[in-house]
Amino acid sequence: MRLGFGCLEPKAAKFFHSYGLLVSGYPFIFLISPILVTCFLATGLIGLEPLSDALYLYTPTDAPSKTERRIIHDAWPLVDGSYVAGRAVTQSREVQVAVVAKNDGNILDKIYSDELKLMELYIRNNITVEFNNRTYSFSDLCLAGPDGRCANNDHIQLVSRLYHHGINITYPTVRLADKSAYIASALGGVKLAKGENGENIIVEASAWLLIYQMKFYPNQVSYVSALWEKEFKERMDEYQKRAKYISITYFHSQTLSDELKRNAERLAPKFIGAFVILVCFSVICSIVTIKGSAYIDWVVTKPILSVLGVSNAGMGIASAMGMLTYLGIQYNDIIAVMPFLVVAVGTDNMFLMVASLKRTDRNLKYDQRIAECMADAAVSILITALTDALSFGVGTITTIPAVQIFCIYTMCALLLTFAYQLTFFCAILVYYTRIEEQGLHSIWLRPAVTYSPTSPLNVKLFWLGSKPPKPLPSCGTVSSTSSTTSTISSTLPPPPKHLHHCAATSFFRNWYAPVLMQPWIRAIAGLWYLIYLGLSIYGCFHLKEGLEPANLLVDDSYATPHYRVLERHYWHYGASLQIVVSNAPDLRDPVERINMDKMVSTFANSKVSIGDEGVQFWLREMQVSEEIHKVRYPDENFYDHAAEYIYSDMSQPWVVDVVWGRNNRSEHVIKSFRFMIGMRDISTTTKQTEATNTFRQIASLYEKYNVTTYMPLWLFTDQYALVVPNTMQDIVVAVACMLVISALLIPQPVCSFWVAVTIGSIDLGVLGFMTLWGVNLDAISMITIIMSVGFSVDYSAHITYAYVISKETTTTARVCDALGDLGWPVAQGAMSTILAVSVLSDVPAYMIVTFFKTVFLAISIGFLHGLVFLPLMLSVFVG
């Protein structure tokens, strides 16, 4: 069989015509079946358990950092007796506290260090939780170090005492005789001076960072640790109000999960507001007036139908969420914004079906009207449903789990909403068309009163209605973002002959389109488009990638100030990077030791490192100790003396930096080891990405040693690097799918080209203008960019199709014809979607506001293309 452009459209129209007759014959079955299915599937919501692991949800599944973290975790598992602050690669049951001196004071001064000491004692001794009739404090839950004690923050008081006594403190590494300690990752906001030997000497500092690591195994202990974290947060909320000289910020391992839940909780009342707004908007759009008067025609006006049409989308949402819960597809809190989108799209399609019904001849029997309505509207709804659902289906191929899960839920909700529109809502249309045929009031189901100037006011306001045999008095203000022109097979009933254009349609046909086609307006619009392209391209060149951890929080989160402190005082200078040598060479060979030293220097002297003074490497410290003590060990005894040095002081971090094993000759050797270096200037996503790439590139130079680099921020920088190719991949695949659907359902080959042009132009604008509006390209905006591909089809395919099939002979007349049919539907669909998401604009959370901004841009830019740019391009390039 030969497939051509639009080959499915006449078959689909004929099928839906027959389907309309079937529903008209058995409306009760089509009404009750979706209700029963919804009731059954909605029971799945009872077992809904949100997945709130932010690191899993918002970092790519194939991120290299996850492999790097696994390598470190396997070699150095975080178990009791092995914990060293700064070496942990997971943040399970970890509490961070940042203490900043108020009024730009020096945190090393006694007044601040004394209050900090009191806070430390309060956290360790006064914060307790009860579980199984036992009281737990931090000392009962802490993860012990190699020396068997809880990791403490004694270095804070030690550095402060040295400072008080006027002893020069070097930075970033403090050295006392042959002992050293790296403090740049703990002491922030440091001002330095040069010492006599050129070393950095601390003049003053602003902040200390404290880490409290608790046990996260077995499960019962982890549960108690989680209780302690919650109690910590509550107690510190009160304690920080009493602090006189220091400001305290904090963060724990459950913070991101808790804040994601707060995001979702704030959306529930917003959805109710959006639902009410759309119901009101739908009711207003359903109003039809008696011809020649301003009074409502209560036979044709169907407000309850509008309410049920919006509720139809709610059924689809509940069914999809319940069904996917039964199927084991995990829910996450960002899906809470999905209903706003689905209910808006469902409302648009409801407008289309009601409008198609009103365009049928009221002299026909109700079953014929339903058949014509379905033949006219269902193909357009099919295009909209397929393109919107498929655009989200394409989104499921991304490697970011949050986007993947969101797209699955949204796709299923859109498809089920479409299915319910063809069954539940179509059955309701059947019943209301019967009521209209009998001339009954659409609310009270009693005979309406024919209009008469002498009728009492209450009758004019609440009881007037037109009789079925009369021509349609007014088409009201109804329609959709989808096409209202669909070619029907010649075997179908002819279009109605008694049509009266509504005011909105007349405005677009007789006023707006002729003005738009004026030469000077076309010139201005062309200039606007060039400006639009220029701004879009400018924005794309300044695109910022990535979802920062702080953006997962609500704006008033207690953890937001903590991230700002880290960004200001620690990410500019001093943050530590772990470097693992998994295939250690034979260190008895002095040449290999020299190679190791060169490798370390290469890392330390990169442009994003703070230099050799930031290196924390047991081998270098061992060499320093040998120089101080004037000791030189034979090379063949290297491992014996390395073990002696490493384990001579169990409080030193080197104890856990070396993995011992046996070589082929059963000799006790170092199989792998790690060292740390300090970094500089990683406070922005761009610099973090640059640092990640720089260190990985250096590691690749030493492939034979199997070198791995890692720090916790790498999990997010991988997202920054992958979000652009993921987005581009999804857009390309989605556009290809949209063009195939358009080619199969729209019988004009030229449509495919102009669909592609418009989609590209709309997506370019969304990407560019969202950057100018302060929105990053991240997992959240990626969702709506994918969505905008489907929406672009609504604004391009149908308008292009209406233009090319117009019977008019001039381009101006064809534009008037196309906009007369589709100008108001496009405007109505855009308004309903923007109204649905407008309630999100004031939610104090980056994720939610980002969703609003990108949806608003996608709809408004698509609307601008549909009503201005696309008609003008068609008039110029399509004769």
Side-chain angles (χ1 to χ4, degrees):
M1 183 179 66
R2 183 176 178 273
L3 294 178
F5 284 92
C7 61
L8 297 183
E9 191 269 345
K11 295 181 177 63
K14 187 173 182 179
F15 167 79
F16 282 116
H17 184 274
S18 300
Y19 176 79
L21 293 174
L22 176 65
V23 177
S24 299
Y26 307 96
F28 182 77
I29 295 176
F30 287 91
L31 176 69
I32 197 65
S33 297
I35 295 175
L36 295 176
V37 170
T38 300
C39 291
F40 170 72
L41 292 179
T43 58
L45 296 174
I46 299 172
L48 194 67
E49 286 291 337
L51 175 65
S52 54
D53 183 349
L55 286 180
Y56 167 74
L57 289 171
Y58 296 98
T59 57
T61 53
D62 58 348
S65 55
K66 291 187 175 180
T67 303
E68 294 161 350
R69 182 176 65 168
R70 172 54 56 188
I71 289 171
I72 297 175
H73 190 271
D74 289 346
W76 292 277
L78 195 58
V79 297
D80 202 24
S82 68
Y83 173 73
V84 175
R87 260 64 170 177
V89 295
T90 62
Q91 292 181 318
S92 298
R93 301 297 175 251
E94 178 186 277
V95 175
Q96 295 182 11
V97 180
V99 179
V100 181
K102 289 183 178 180
N103 303 318
D104 296 324
N106 180 5
I107 197 69
L108 299 177
D109 286 342
K110 193 172 188 304
I111 189 174
Y112 302 106
S113 61
D114 286 348
E115 188 166 24
L116 196 157
K117 183 177 181 179
L118 292 175
M119 183 205 74
E120 247 269 281
L121 292 173
Y122 177 83
I123 292 174
R124 291 179 179 273
N125 301 324
N126 291 45
I127 300 179
T128 60
V129 292
E130 298 284 339
F131 182 74
N132 284 348
N133 299 319
R134 179 183 169 184
T135 301
Y136 293 85
S137 66
F138 176 74
S139 60
D140 300 308
L141 299 169
C142 70
L143 205 58
D147 57 359
R149 300 185 302 149
C150 288
N152 55 48
N153 295 297
D154 292 346
H155 58 281
I156 294 176
Q157 297 304 317
L158 174 61
V159 170
S160 297
R161 284 197 297 270
L162 292 175
Y163 185 84
H164 298 161
H165 288 85
I167 299 174
N168 287 341
I169 305 170
T170 56
Y171 187 85
T173 300
V174 177
R175 292 194 177 276
L176 297 173
D178 62 342
K179 304 295 183 182
S180 66
Y182 182 79
I183 61 171
S185 57
L187 184 63
V190 177
K191 294 183 180 179
L192 302 172
K194 287 294 181 181
E196 295 179 357
N197 299 321
E199 71 274 20
N200 293 326
I201 303 298
I202 296 176
V203 176
E204 62 179 68
S206 301
W208 279 109
L209 181 65
L210 295 78
I211 306 294
Y212 299 89
Q213 178 67 56
M214 290 168 292
K215 299 170 185 174
F216 52 90
Y217 60 89
N219 289 339
Q220 180 173 311
V221 175
S222 179
Y223 176 76
V224 178
S225 295
L227 294 179
W228 193 91
E229 286 183 336
K230 299 283 190 180
E231 181 67 16
F232 166 86
K233 191 265 178 188
E234 297 299 324
R235 299 288 287 274
M236 292 305 291
D237 284 348
E238 295 298 323
Y239 187 89
Q240 67 173 345
K241 298 175 183 176
R242 306 198 301 264
K244 294 181 180 179
Y245 307 111
I246 57 176
S247 61
I248 306 168
T249 65
Y250 34 86
F251 176 96
H252 58 74
S253 64
Q254 301 173 75
T255 297
L256 286 180
S257 299
D258 291 344
E259 298 303 286
L260 287 173
K261 290 176 184 175
R262 284 184 65 198
N263 272 336
E265 288 168 0
R266 290 187 171 186
L267 291 180
K270 296 289 184 179
F271 179 70
I272 295 173
F275 189 88
V276 171
I277 289 172
L278 283 179
V279 166
C280 294
F281 180 71
S282 303
V283 169
I284 292 171
C285 288
S286 73
I287 294 175
V288 176
T289 57
I290 298 290
K291 186 178 181 181
S293 77
Y295 298 110
I296 297 175
D297 184 342
W298 288 105
V299 172
V300 181
T301 299
K302 303 177 179 66
I304 295 178
L305 181 67
S306 299
V307 175
L308 294 174
V310 178
S311 302
N312 181 93
M315 292 170 58
I317 294 165
S319 298
M321 293 178 65
M323 179 185 71
L324 292 172
T325 302
Y326 276 128
L327 293 176
I329 306 297
Q330 289 193 296
Y331 173 89
N332 70 78
D333 293 310
I334 190 59
I335 295 172
V337 301
M338 176 268 289
F340 295 86
L341 183 62
V342 174
V343 77
V345 174
T347 301
D348 294 349
N349 289 339
M350 180 266 291
F351 286 147
L352 173 62
M353 295 182 72
V354 174
S356 295
L357 179 66
K358 290 185 177 181
R359 285 197 303 273
T360 60
D361 191 345
R362 292 178 66 194
N363 290 304
L364 296 175
K365 292 289 291 181
Y366 74 90
D367 55 346
Q368 288 298 321
R369 293 186 66 193
I370 293 296
E372 283 194 16
C373 166
M374 294 304 294
D376 180 37
V379 174
S380 294
I381 294 177
L382 180 63
I383 293 175
T384 302
L386 286 180
T387 53
D388 289 343
L390 193 56
S391 65
F392 285 104
V394 170
T396 62
I397 66 176
T398 184
T399 58
I400 300 176
V403 177
Q404 194 176 59
I405 296 171
F406 182 92
C407 289
I408 290 173
Y409 271 81
T410 308
M411 177 184 68
C412 291
L414 288 171
L415 291 175
L416 283 172
T417 299
F418 172 65
Y420 289 161
Q421 283 166 341
L422 295 183
T423 53
F424 172 78
F425 189 69
C426 184
I428 293 174
L429 279 181
V430 172
Y431 284 114
Y432 268 99
T433 308
R434 284 182 182 176
I435 292 170
E436 182 181 337
E437 186 177 273
Q438 297 167 20
L440 301 179
H441 194 289
S442 63
I443 298 176
W444 310 120
L445 305 183
R446 294 176 61 185
V449 178
T450 303
Y451 172 72
S452 171
T454 60
S455 299
L457 181 60
N458 68 313
V459 173
K460 291 180 179 179
L461 292 177
F462 302 113
W463 285 99
L464 294 185
S466 57
K467 297 299 182 182
K470 305 287 184 181
L472 188 66
S474 174
C475 60
T477 54
V478 288
S479 205
S480 165
T481 58
S482 301
S483 170
T484 59
T485 56
S486 178
T487 301
I488 311 298
S489 172
S490 59
T491 62
L492 302 183
K497 299 178 180 179
H498 306 290
L499 295 179
H500 298 267
H501 293 300
C502 63
T505 299
S506 298
F507 167 77
F508 280 103
R509 184 184 302 275
N510 302 324
W511 294 89
Y512 174 79
V515 171
L516 180 66
M517 295 303 293
Q518 294 296 316
W520 62 279
I521 294 293
R522 295 171 71 175
I524 293 174
L527 179 62
W528 283 356
Y529 187 67
L530 292 177
I531 294 172
Y532 161 81
L533 287 179
L535 291 174
S536 300
I537 293 170
Y538 173 81
C540 289
F541 275 111
H542 292 79
L543 196 67
K544 297 179 181 179
E545 304 96 352
L547 182 66
E548 300 179 44
N551 290 337
L552 295 174
L553 308 171
V554 293
D555 292 349
D556 59 351
S557 169
Y558 68 90
T560 300
H562 183 74
Y563 275 109
R564 300 307 171 216
V565 169
L566 294 180
E567 182 180 324
R568 179 181 178 186
H569 295 298
Y570 294 97
W571 291 349
H572 285 286
Y573 189 95
S576 293
L577 171 74
Q578 293 196 46
I579 302 172
V580 176
V581 179
S582 297
N583 184 30
D586 187 348
L587 294 175
R588 291 171 297 191
D589 185 347
V591 174
E592 291 292 3
R593 294 202 296 272
I594 292 172
N595 288 341
M596 290 295 98
D597 196 65
K598 289 180 179 178
M599 179 185 71
V600 173
S601 295
T602 304
F603 277 107
N605 295 319
S606 68
K607 61 183 178 179
V608 286
S609 302
I610 62 179
D612 285 330
E613 64 270 20
V615 174
Q616 309 155 60
F617 186 22
W618 60 271
L619 181 57
R620 283 195 173 185
E621 296 300 323
M622 179 178 168
Q623 292 168 345
V624 170
S625 179
E626 290 176 354
E627 291 174 4
I628 291 175
H629 294 96
K630 308 297 183 184
V631 176
R632 181 67 180 173
Y633 299 106
D635 291 334
E636 61 271 15
N637 295 332
F638 174 82
Y639 287 124
D640 294 333
H641 294 294
E644 181 182 340
Y645 170 77
I646 291 171
Y647 299 112
S648 62
D649 185 353
M650 297 299 289
S651 66
Q652 288 290 343
W654 331 124
V655 175
V656 297
D657 282 350
V658 175
V659 176
W660 296 85
R662 295 192 179 275
N663 60 14
N664 296 333
R665 291 177 290 182
S666 298
E667 296 172 316
H668 203 53
V669 298
I670 293 175
K671 301 291 289 184
S672 59
F673 62 86
R674 63 180 171 183
F675 60 93
M676 315 282 283
I677 64 169
M679 296 181 291
R680 68 169 79 240
D681 296 330
I682 60 167
S683 57
T684 65
T685 58
T686 302
K687 292 179 179 179
Q688 290 164 11
T689 303
E690 180 185 356
T692 306
N693 295 335
T694 298
F695 289 124
R696 284 176 177 164
Q697 185 176 8
I698 295 174
S700 68
L701 300 176
Y702 301 92
E703 187 175 354
K704 68 176 182 177
Y705 301 130
N706 194 8
V707 180
T708 300
T709 65
Y710 179 79
M711 78 164 298
L713 273 178
W714 271 205
L715 290 164
F716 288 93
T717 57
D718 280 338
Q719 176 223 142
Y720 308 156
L722 292 175
V723 71
V724 172
N726 265 248
T727 303
M728 293 302 106
Q729 166 192 275
D730 290 348
I731 288 176
V732 170
V733 175
V735 169
C737 294
M738 300 306 109
L739 294 183
V740 170
I741 292 173
S742 299
L744 291 175
L745 291 173
I746 303 177
Q748 289 292 336
V750 72
C751 285
S752 294
F753 174 76
W754 287 108
V755 165
V757 170
T758 308
I759 290 175
S761 182
I762 292 173
D763 281 347
L764 180 70
V766 172
L767 281 169
F769 279 89
M770 78 177 195
T771 303
L772 300 178
W773 204 356
V775 175
N776 291 357
L777 179 57
D778 52 37
I780 309 304
S781 55
M782 182 180 175
I783 289 170
T784 44
I785 290 168
I786 294 170
M787 174 204 71
S788 68
V789 175
F791 279 7
S792 300
V793 176
D794 297 343
Y795 295 117
S796 58
H798 304 309
I799 286 183
T800 304
Y801 176 64
Y803 177 87
V804 298
I805 68 165
S806 173
K807 305 297 184 183
E808 303 292 341
T809 56
T810 65
T811 56
T812 298
R814 296 173 82 177
V815 168
C816 293
D817 200 23
L819 290 180
D821 283 340
L822 293 170
W824 176 232
V826 167
Q828 195 176 38
M831 284 190 292
S832 63
T833 305
I834 290 175
L835 283 173
V837 299
S838 63
V839 297
L840 304 177
S841 61
D842 63 343
V843 176
Y846 170 85
M847 295 172 64
I848 308 304
V849 172
T850 294
F851 184 83
F852 161 73
K853 287 181 177 180
T854 47
V855 171
F856 179 85
L857 286 173
I859 299 303
S860 57
I861 292 174
F863 177 70
L864 182 64
H865 277 72
L867 291 191
V868 181
F869 299 147
L870 181 58
L872 292 178
M873 286 190 287
L874 291 172
S875 69
V876 172
F877 298 108
V878 182

